[in-house]
DNA sequence: CTAGGGTTAG
């Protein structure tokens, strides 16, 4: 009896001391020691110690240890043990394993409790992030598991448990199911700081900054925000540039003693920099007692974002005196080189990166691709891309963007197909990078594919995506689809409206563009300087001279937007296309900014329609004096002298182009027939069906002559005899394309032809005749607009 | 005995 009591007493003592030892273990070595003691005492299979050991191993990032303890108690019969193993696995990122254990637990018909769900929910959420991209089926599975969990939570009546609800909230945020979040949050009976933080962070991370700020303001009435809340809301302030609220939060921090927190101060630096208030950033920085690398990087990045590059460099050298730059610092420096397009600076940074051994970093590698592209060195971007061992989605998006930046669309499309072959899932930025390629090439088929991909990704309601789609469809010859996308967009910004106005402008729908502009103003969206470029261009493409000029004044007076060179160019285009050349020239000479080559070039193009050689010659003189590098203008100038028969001047210009190492963009046209793209260059003789195409053009020439057509030889721009000039005109690439299209499609089928340069006046006339003779709709897109030829007329009303 | 939110520089 006595011995028994003593035994029980010592057993209790052992229990307590082992439990204490286990709790206070601070290293895995200590843990192993205590574990051995527990085993020798024969207590390792007890519910209490096994559960505690499982959790303890998880704490030291040793899920294998947790598992081996769990296996020794199998079949486990206590909820505590199951909870522990599920939590241990989730804690270590082994989400799918955690869910497998959860399924087993469900099969055992053990009663789950409020401790089970938070871990399970976390596992669901974690898996969605990591594996859904690669394994869509797995993602579905998790979605189902998430629903089961939610259902069980409701059935068990533990919906009111704050921790469980918070877990559900966080899971749905990770699935980006915002409506569910809203519902759960509104139904929560009890909310604590964590609940508020979950929704505020969640909205901020989903990019819904206004929503996040609104919730924060609601929260402060009842709860004390902590550092997490403050961090999230400051991020939101920075993103939308809400300086006022940012200052309010800063005051709150000062009042509540968060001011000396380094992390919080770093966020403040970032917020002020994003709001453009570098002085405030600097003040916060100077007050930080313990500046860490992030503090320095944040301030330097602030200076770079606000284009104060010299300040940034000064700070950098100061920083280097007591801290070593890390990969983030180098990424920022690369971004600076890119912004400045200074390849020498970029290469120096690249050398430093190699020296410091940061060249193996994925983020740095991606930044290098971007830097080289922005410096116009696509070759170096490609080299960097090929040299990279690991590539993530950003790598692919960067190289595609690089190709787009250098206008190498074929390379760009090659990259997108390589990306598909290598199994990389495209994302939203991929869509934003590829859509402009389709726009430029008028590749409608690829554009449509991307559109369906956008639906599959579920990002069709994203505003920039919608904007890019509007542009793509309008440039691919489908105004109808553009309008459809526009109508379906729930949220619209100034870019959306501008895309619509430009679309109308390209199709010569000036009146509709004007109406769209008014509608935009009526919905309370203020036009920016680009919207004005779009509307004035739309006017000039439709011959709405008075309206265009009115908008130019409207911009200055009502919106206080100072006209830039491109606005002046629009007005010059507007006047000269309508034959008001004297007014256009006068306008250039009276403008407050120094006219550059683009203005004279615009005037010169405008001269083509009316053939005013005097103005053309004066404009040419200005262009030559300005010594621009744009070949397009020199082609125009040389055309003027060719038309005047001043061949010595033509030769002089050609020679100076050669000396500068510049080459004229060759004119080319292309069209899509049955999913295949056919390209034609000016005067091409080596393509399929060359003979047939030529014969058809001859037949058409005969028929046109009967209708009264006479070739306008001022557009044949070579120093050759008259009849040879006629031949050269016939060789213009758009004619080859049209003839080829006529031969290879059924009668009556509308044709769509793209051209990289502007259509010449003679081709414009010829196309009108052809549309009448063959009774077909011919849609021609040139450098900046569409011409729909139908029964002898053109939609542009000859304002080409 | 076990549970929930994670913020800053790119």
């Amino acid at each position: 009896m006595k011995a028994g009591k003593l035994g029980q007493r010592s057993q209790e003592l052992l229990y307590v001391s082992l439990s204490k030892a286990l709790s206070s273990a601070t290293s895995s070595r200590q843990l192993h020691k205590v574990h051995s003691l527990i085993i020798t005492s024969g207590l390792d299979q007890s519910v209490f110690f096994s559960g505690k050991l499982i959790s303890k191993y998880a704490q030291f990032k040793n899920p294998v240890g947790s598992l081996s303890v769990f296996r020794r108690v199998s079949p486990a019969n206590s909820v505590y043990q199951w909870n522990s193993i599920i939590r241990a696995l989730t804690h270590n990122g082994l989400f799918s394993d955690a869910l497998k254990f959860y399924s087993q637990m469900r099969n055992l018909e053990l009663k789950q409790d409020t401790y089970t769900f938070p871990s399970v929910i976390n596992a669901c959420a974690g898996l969605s992030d990591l594996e859904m991209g690669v394994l869509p089926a797995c993602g579905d599975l998790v979605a189902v598991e998430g629903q089961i969990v939610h259902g069980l939570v409701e059935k068990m009546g533990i919906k009111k448990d704050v921790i469980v609800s918070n877990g559900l909230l966080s899971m749905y945020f990770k699935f980006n199911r915002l409506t569910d979040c809203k519902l759960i949050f509104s139904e929560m009976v009890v909310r604590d700081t964590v609940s508020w933080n979950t929704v505020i962070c969640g909205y901020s991370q989903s990019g819904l900054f206004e929503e996040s700020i609104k919730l924060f303001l609601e929260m402060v009435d009842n709860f004390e925000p902590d550092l997490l809340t403050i961090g999230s809301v400051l991020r939101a302030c920075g993103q939308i540039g809400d300086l006022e609220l940012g200052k309010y939060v800063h005051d709150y921090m000062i009042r509540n003693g968060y001011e000396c927190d380094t992390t919080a101060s770093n966020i403040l630096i970032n917020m002020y920099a994003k709001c453009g208030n570098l002085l405030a950033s600097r003040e916060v920085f100077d007050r930080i007692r313990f500046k860490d690398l992030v503090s320095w990087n944040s301030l330097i990045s602030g200076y770079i974002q606000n284009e104060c590059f010299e300040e940034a460099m000064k700070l950098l050298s100061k920083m280097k005196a007591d801290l070593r730059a890390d990969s983030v610092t180098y990424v920022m420096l690369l971004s600076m080189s890119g912004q400045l397009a200074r390849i020498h600076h970029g290469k120096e940074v690249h050398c430093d990166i190699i020296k410091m051994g940061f060249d193996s970093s994925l983020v740095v590698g991606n930044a290098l691709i971007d830097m080289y592209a922005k410096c116009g060195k696509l070759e170096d971007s490609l080299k960097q891309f090929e040299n990279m061992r690991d590539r993530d989605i950003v790598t692919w998006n960067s190289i595609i963007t690089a190709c787009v930046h250098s206008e190498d669309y074929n390379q760009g499309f090659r990259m997108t197909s390589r990306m598909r072959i290598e199994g990389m899932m495209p994302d939203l930025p991929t869509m934003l990078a590829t859509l402009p390629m389709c726009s430029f090439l008028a590749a409608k088929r690829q554009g449509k594919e991307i559109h369906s991909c956008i639906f599959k990704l579920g990002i069709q309601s994203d505003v920039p995506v919608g904007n890019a789609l509007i542009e793509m469809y309008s440039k691919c010859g489908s105004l109808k689809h553009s309008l459809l996308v526009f109508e379906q967009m729930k949220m619209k910004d100034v870019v959306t409206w501008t895309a619509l106005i430009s679309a109308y402008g390209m199709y010569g729908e000036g009146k509709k563009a004007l109406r769209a502009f008014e509608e935009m103003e009526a919905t309370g969206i203020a036009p920016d300087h680009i919207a004005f470029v779009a509307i004035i261009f739309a006017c000039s493409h439709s011959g709405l001279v008075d309206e265009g000029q009115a908008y130019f004044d409207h911009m200055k007076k009502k919106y206080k937007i100072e006209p830039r060179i491109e606005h002046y160019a629009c007005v010059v285009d507007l006047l000269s296309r309508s034959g008001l050349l004297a007014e256009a020239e006068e306008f250039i000479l009276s403008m407050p900014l120094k006219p550059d080559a683009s203005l004279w070039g615009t005037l010169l193009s405008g001269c083509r329609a009316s053939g005013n050689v005097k103005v053309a010659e004066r404009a040419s003189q200005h262009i030559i004096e300005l010594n621009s590098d744009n070949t397009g203008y020199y082609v125009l100038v040389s055309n003027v002298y060719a038309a005047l028969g001043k061949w010595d001047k033509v030769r002089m210009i050609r020679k100076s182009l050669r000396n500068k190492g510049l080459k004229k963009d060759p004119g080319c046209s292309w069209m899509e027939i049955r999913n295949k793209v056919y390209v034609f260059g000016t005067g091409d003789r080596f393509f399929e069906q060359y003979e047939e195409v030529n014969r058809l053009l001859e037949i058409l020439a005969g028929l046109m002559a009967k209708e009264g057509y006479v070739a306008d030889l001022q557009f044949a721009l070579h120093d050759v005899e008259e009849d040879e000039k006629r031949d050269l005109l016939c060789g213009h690439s758009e004619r080859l394309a049209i003839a080829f299209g006529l031969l290879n499609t059924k009668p009556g089928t509308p044709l769509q032809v793209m051209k990289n340069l502007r259509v010449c006046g003679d081709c414009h006339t010829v196309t009108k005749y052809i549309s009448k003779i063959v009774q077909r709709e011919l849609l021609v897109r040139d450098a900046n607009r569409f011409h729909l030829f139908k029964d002898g007329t053109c939609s542009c009303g000859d304002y080409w």
Side-chain angles (χ1 to χ4, degrees):
Chain A
M1 190 72 187
K2 207 176 178 183
K5 245 194 175 165
L6 201 71
Q8 206 184 336
R9 177 105 183 95
S10 68
Q11 189 76 8
E12 264 171 31
L13 275 174
L14 181 68
Y15 218 89
V16 171
S17 69
L18 281 175
S19 161
K20 265 191 187 159
L22 190 53
S23 298
S24 55
T26 50
S27 70
S28 20
R29 252 187 66 199
Q30 282 175 19
L31 174 58
H32 280 297
K33 240 176 170 172
V34 183
H35 191 175
S36 308
L37 283 173
I38 292 172
I39 291 173
T40 46
S41 314
L43 289 168
D44 62 315
Q45 306 215 12
S46 72
V47 171
F48 176 80
F49 279 109
S50 61
K52 195 132 183 158
L53 277 166
I54 292 169
S55 303
K56 207 69 197 180
Y57 273 110
Q59 221 182 328
F60 291 113
K61 303 244 168 276
N62 186 353
V64 179
S66 301
L67 276 169
S68 81
V69 175
F70 185 78
R71 288 219 183 87
R72 285 176 69 107
V73 296
S74 289
N77 49 17
S78 153
V79 186
Y80 176 40
Q81 289 163 335
W82 283 100
N83 286 350
S84 299
I85 190 66
I86 293 170
R87 181 176 139 59
L89 294 167
T90 306
H91 188 82
N92 282 288
L94 299 164
F95 305 118
S96 61
D97 296 287
L99 287 175
K100 266 180 224 150
F101 277 93
Y102 174 61
S103 299
Q104 285 174 34
M105 179 190 184
R106 275 217 316 266
N107 291 340
L108 288 175
E109 289 178 31
L110 269 172
K111 198 173 153 49
Q112 304 161 47
D113 59 15
T114 54
Y115 290 105
T116 318
F117 291 105
S119 309
V120 176
I121 292 167
N122 244 343
C124 292
L127 200 64
S128 78
D129 263 13
L130 281 172
E131 285 165 69
M132 191 137 78
V134 216
L135 292 168
C138 214
D140 291 345
L141 202 93
V142 180
V144 171
E145 205 71 56
Q147 269 156 15
I148 291 172
V149 173
H150 198 163
L152 281 172
V153 163
E154 300 224 354
K155 220 166 87 190
M156 292 174 65
I158 50 172
K159 227 172 73 178
K160 285 184 199 140
D161 186 286
V162 190
I163 296 173
V164 171
S165 302
N166 288 345
L168 282 174
L169 261 181
S170 132
M171 179 185 75
Y172 281 122
F173 267 116
K174 280 180 189 149
F175 276 117
N176 209 23
R177 283 177 37 178
L178 301 180
T179 11
D180 291 302
C181 293
K182 211 171 175 177
L183 193 72
I184 294 172
F185 188 68
S186 69
E187 283 180 350
M188 278 172 78
V189 195
V190 187
R191 293 173 189 160
D192 62 7
T193 310
V194 177
S195 325
W196 284 100
N197 283 349
T198 309
V199 286
I200 291 170
C201 296
Y203 278 121
S204 174
Q205 276 180 341
S206 309
L208 296 168
F209 305 112
E210 278 92 355
E211 200 67 26
S212 163
I213 287 172
K214 219 178 82 195
L215 281 162
F216 172 79
L217 294 173
E218 244 177 78
M219 173 194 182
V220 276
D221 292 337
N222 305 303
F223 288 90
E224 296 264 297
D226 59 11
L227 274 175
L228 286 180
T229 332
I230 288 169
S232 282
V233 78
L234 281 179
R235 190 176 109 90
C237 293
Q239 290 294 337
I240 58 171
D242 191 338
L243 187 60
E244 210 176 308
L245 184 68
K247 275 187 181 152
Y248 170 82
V249 178
H250 190 177
D251 278 344
Y252 180 90
M253 286 169 67
I254 295 170
R255 282 201 308 271
N256 291 276
Y258 290 125
E259 213 204 356
C260 18
D261 184 272
T262 304
T263 305
S265 301
N266 294 344
I267 303 175
L268 273 173
I269 293 174
N270 180 253
M271 185 276 293
Y272 280 125
K274 286 234 165 73
C275 294
N277 192 343
L278 280 175
L279 274 167
S281 292
R282 185 80 204 214
E283 250 173 63
V284 174
F285 177 83
D286 288 337
R287 285 222 191 101
I288 305 177
R289 190 114 48 97
F290 304 103
K291 300 178 179 54
D292 61 8
L293 190 56
V294 179
S295 318
W296 285 94
N297 281 345
S298 299
L299 189 63
I300 294 174
S301 141
Y303 280 113
I304 293 178
Q305 276 168 41
N306 288 282
E307 296 174 4
C308 305
F309 302 117
E310 279 178 32
E311 260 317 302
M313 291 306 283
K314 260 191 232 159
L315 258 165
L316 179 77
S317 47
K318 255 197 199 166
M319 177 187 105
K320 278 184 173 165
D322 50 276
L323 274 171
R324 248 181 71 168
D326 68 350
S327 62
V328 176
T329 319
Y330 283 106
V331 170
M332 295 184 325
L333 291 177
L334 288 173
S335 132
M336 184 167 87
S337 320
Q339 275 182 62
L340 289 165
R342 285 232 306 258
I343 183 65
H344 295 298
H345 184 262
K347 282 205 165 147
E348 265 172 44
V349 178
H350 193 171
C351 288
D352 283 348
I353 286 169
I354 295 171
K355 267 187 247 159
M356 306 294 284
F358 289 124
D359 51 330
S360 52
S361 147
L362 189 56
V363 184
V364 171
N366 295 343
L368 279 166
I369 294 180
D370 188 63
M371 181 276 289
Y372 281 121
K374 290 210 171 95
C375 292
K377 303 279 177 194
L378 181 60
E379 282 306 311
D380 291 298
S381 292
L382 289 166
K383 217 191 284 169
Q384 170 64 27
F385 177 83
E386 299 301 342
N387 282 340
M388 284 167 75
R389 216 176 323 120
D390 305 312
R391 296 184 188 122
D392 64 358
I393 184 70
V394 181
T395 320
W396 287 98
N397 291 342
S398 302
I399 195 68
I400 294 169
T401 310
C403 296
V404 174
H405 184 92
S406 301
E407 300 183 354
D408 190 340
Y409 304 104
N410 289 322
Q411 183 71 262
F413 274 122
R414 265 201 292 282
M415 283 297 175
T416 54
S417 54
R418 249 178 89 179
M419 181 177 171
R420 232 188 332 249
I421 292 164
E422 294 183 26
M424 180 59 80
M425 277 279 278
D427 67 352
L428 194 149
T430 321
M431 304 296 124
L432 289 180
T434 33
L435 280 172
M437 303 204 290
C438 302
S439 303
F440 187 89
L441 293 177
K444 193 159 154 194
R445 195 174 54 87
Q446 279 95 333
K448 275 185 177 165
E449 265 172 35
I450 295 175
H451 195 172
S452 67
C453 197
I454 284 167
F455 274 109
K456 273 183 215 145
L457 289 171
I459 52 170
Q460 65 275 19
S461 10
D462 183 77
V463 177
V465 166
N467 297 346
L469 280 170
I470 295 176
E471 197 204 358
M472 185 276 289
Y473 279 120
S474 68
K475 291 207 168 154
C476 286
S478 182
L479 181 59
K480 207 178 80 192
H481 284 94
S482 273
L483 298 178
L484 228 57
V485 174
F486 179 84
E487 276 156 22
Q488 281 166 5
M489 285 173 72
K490 282 190 207 95
M491 306 269 292
K492 296 182 175 90
D493 62 8
V494 64
V495 183
T496 319
W497 285 96
T498 306
L500 178 74
I501 293 164
S502 310
Y504 279 136
M506 284 203 303
Y507 291 85
E509 301 271 18
K511 288 263 161 57
K512 286 185 184 163
L514 292 172
R515 218 172 309 140
F517 198 97
E518 279 164 21
E519 237 181 277
M520 169 178 72
E521 285 180 299
T523 49
I525 291 176
D528 61 5
H529 70 278
I530 303 170
F532 278 104
V533 170
I535 189 67
I536 304 174
F537 247 114
C539 290
S540 97
H541 287 327
S542 304
L544 301 167
V545 181
D546 295 337
E547 288 84 347
Q549 281 181 302
Y551 269 110
F552 185 78
D553 294 331
H554 192 56
M555 170 175 82
K556 288 190 290 189
K557 288 200 188 100
K558 185 164 176 201
Y559 290 99
K560 308 274 176 256
I561 297 175
E562 264 316 300
R564 306 183 184 193
I565 216 100
E566 55 263 39
H567 298 109
Y568 288 100
C570 286
V571 175
V572 172
D573 187 72
L574 176 76
L575 295 168
S576 58
R577 268 180 207 262
S578 300
L580 301 167
L581 293 173
E583 286 83 348
E585 193 178 8
E586 178 57 32
F587 183 77
I588 296 182
L589 293 170
S590 66
M591 61 186 264
L593 299 171
K594 188 182 170 350
D596 67 1
S598 75
L599 280 160
W600 295 111
T602 306
L603 180 63
L604 194 46
S605 320
C607 292
R608 303 196 309 174
S610 50
N612 186 326
V613 267
K614 284 213 173 111
V615 177
E617 211 177 347
R618 280 200 292 274
S620 301
Q621 201 54 47
H622 284 289
I623 289 175
I624 292 169
E625 278 163 20
L626 286 165
N627 201 21
S628 141
D629 273 349
N630 185 316
T631 41
Y633 303 142
Y634 289 106
V635 173
L636 285 173
V637 171
S638 105
N639 290 353
V640 169
Y641 290 124
L644 289 168
K646 297 188 175 175
W647 299 109
D648 50 326
K649 292 223 170 178
V650 173
R651 275 187 288 275
M652 186 195 83
I653 290 163
R654 294 228 171 111
K655 207 172 134 192
S656 82
L657 272 182
R658 258 198 308 280
N659 290 344
K660 283 186 180 180
L662 298 174
K663 238 170 127 181
K664 169 187 182 297
D665 279 342
C668 74
S669 299
W670 62 99
M671 73 181 337
E672 208 178 280
I673 299 174
R674 288 181 289 274
N675 287 342
K676 216 180 144 189
V677 178
Y678 299 88
V679 187
F680 304 87
T682 307
D684 263 3
R685 278 156 199 258
F686 304 102
F687 54 87
E688 291 174 64
Q689 303 179 337
Y690 169 72
E691 297 292 329
E692 289 99 311
V693 163
N694 233 20
R695 209 170 316 129
L696 179 59
L697 283 174
E698 267 168 36
I699 295 168
L700 286 170
L703 292 169
M704 287 190 311
K706 267 192 208 149
E707 298 269 340
Y709 163 76
V710 185
D712 188 344
L713 298 184
Q714 68 153 320
F715 294 104
L717 303 156
H718 294 270
D719 185 4
V720 287
E721 295 304 315
E722 294 287 306
D723 54 334
E724 215 175 309
K725 276 188 192 172
R726 230 179 306 269
D727 280 353
L728 282 169
L729 278 177
C730 292
H732 275 184
S733 59
E734 54 269 50
R735 300 191 196 190
L736 302 178
I738 289 171
F740 184 84
L742 291 174
L743 283 171
N744 290 286
T745 50
K746 284 196 199 107
T749 321
L751 292 181
Q752 191 172 332
V753 177
M754 310 294 151
K755 178 166 182 161
N756 63 340
L757 307 173
R758 268 174 71 176
V759 174
C760 89
D762 191 48
C763 288
H764 193 262
T765 314
V766 165
T767 314
K768 282 200 281 190
Y769 276 103
I770 296 180
S771 73
K772 191 172 179 196
I773 293 166
V774 300
Q775 280 299 304
R776 293 233 208 172
E777 273 186 25
L778 304 168
L779 187 62
V780 179
R781 190 192 104 182
D782 69 5
N784 49 25
R785 58 159 306 156
F786 279 97
H787 302 259
L788 180 60
F789 296 92
K790 210 165 150 183
D791 199 25
T793 60
C794 177
S795 63
C796 75
D798 296 337
Y799 290 106
W800 53 274

